[in-house]
Amino acid sequence: MKTNQLVHNQLRFYCDINLDLDQNIELPKNIVHQVYTVLKKRVGDHIYLFNGSNKEYKIELCEVTKSKITGYVDQFIDYNGELDTNIYLYQSLVEHTRMELIIQKCTELGVKNIYPVISNKCKIKSFSESKRERWNNIIKESSEQSFRSKIMKLDNIINFKDACINAIGLKIFCNEYETDFHLNKINTSYLKENNISDISIFVGPVSGYDQSEILHAQEKDMISVSLGKRVLRTETAAIASVSNIVNQIS
């Protein structure tokens, strides 16, 4: 059985601790509930942990109670579930349920960082620490489910002009008014010819970018792209644009 097939048949959890072969560990409380109550694992059973080191650690459970689970690292497997090209999503802030969908799906697709952006037409311009905690939990759970090796980073809020300065690599600006250049033109050949290793994707808010932002993006040499004839919801635009790029680089 190939390594990726072996890993994908296992139950895995993200655990932000250093791990090594034969190391004894006590599982964090949030994992204890899932392993004991939900999965009903018992002494002698196995789970897998990952910590962002491109390894999957097989843990044999030694003590299993409702409040405490211990085990040891029985073996580890080299595994890289990340994309070879870094994708950064600059997503204008939208209503929280829409933002959660974008975060969940873009985590699954392999986005490295997501930047919440304040653009001129944003109706929402901030979010609470409790909301950040919830979004980070969505990222963690989506990373576990989709067999990523690292956790996508949710960055701090940034305004549109600073985002344009901050963006690196190939800068893609999703523009509903674009008619000449479709995102499909950024294909595998284009990426190889231009030796692209980083891609920044900009997606506007519910009402789109205003004219001053479109002009500013042009001044910053961003590539204005169309996603087709239809006007997409912002969450659809984010998922579609990232999916298109992932399909070209995978």
Side-chain angles (χ1 to χ4, degrees), residues 145-207:
Q145 173 268 317
S146 60
F147 286 85
R148 290 194 61 167
S149 299
K150 301 182 186 298
I151 300 297
M152 183 181 77
K153 182 180 179 182
L154 174 63
D155 271 275
N156 294 323
I157 291 176
I158 187 171
N159 67 55
F160 177 76
K161 288 188 175 181
D162 287 340
C164 292
I165 296 171
N166 186 73
I168 62 174
L170 182 69
K171 302 173 187 178
I172 298 173
F173 184 76
C174 297
N175 180 5
E176 63 185 288
Y177 300 108
E178 178 63 47
T179 58
D180 297 327
F181 195 90
H182 194 280
L183 182 59
N184 286 339
K185 292 184 179 180
I186 301 177
N187 54 25
T188 304
S189 298
Y190 180 99
L191 296 171
K192 286 184 178 179
E193 288 171 6
N194 292 278
N195 195 27
I196 303 298
S197 60
D198 297 290
I199 301 174
S200 298
I201 302 175
F202 281 69
V203 178
V206 172
S207 301

Side-chain angles (χ1 to χ4, degrees), residues 48 54 144 189:
Y48 277 75
N54 289 342
E144 293 170 348
S189 298

Side-chain angles (χ1 to χ4, degrees), residues 87 109 172 182-188 191 199 201 226-227 237-250:
I87 300 177
L109 288 166
I172 298 173
H182 194 280
L183 182 59
N184 286 339
K185 292 184 179 180
I186 301 177
N187 54 25
T188 304
L191 296 171
I199 301 174
I201 302 175
S226 166
L227 299 180
I239 296 167
S241 57
V242 171
S243 298
N244 190 295
I245 293 298
V246 169
N247 183 55
Q248 297 300 327
I249 64 179
S250 296

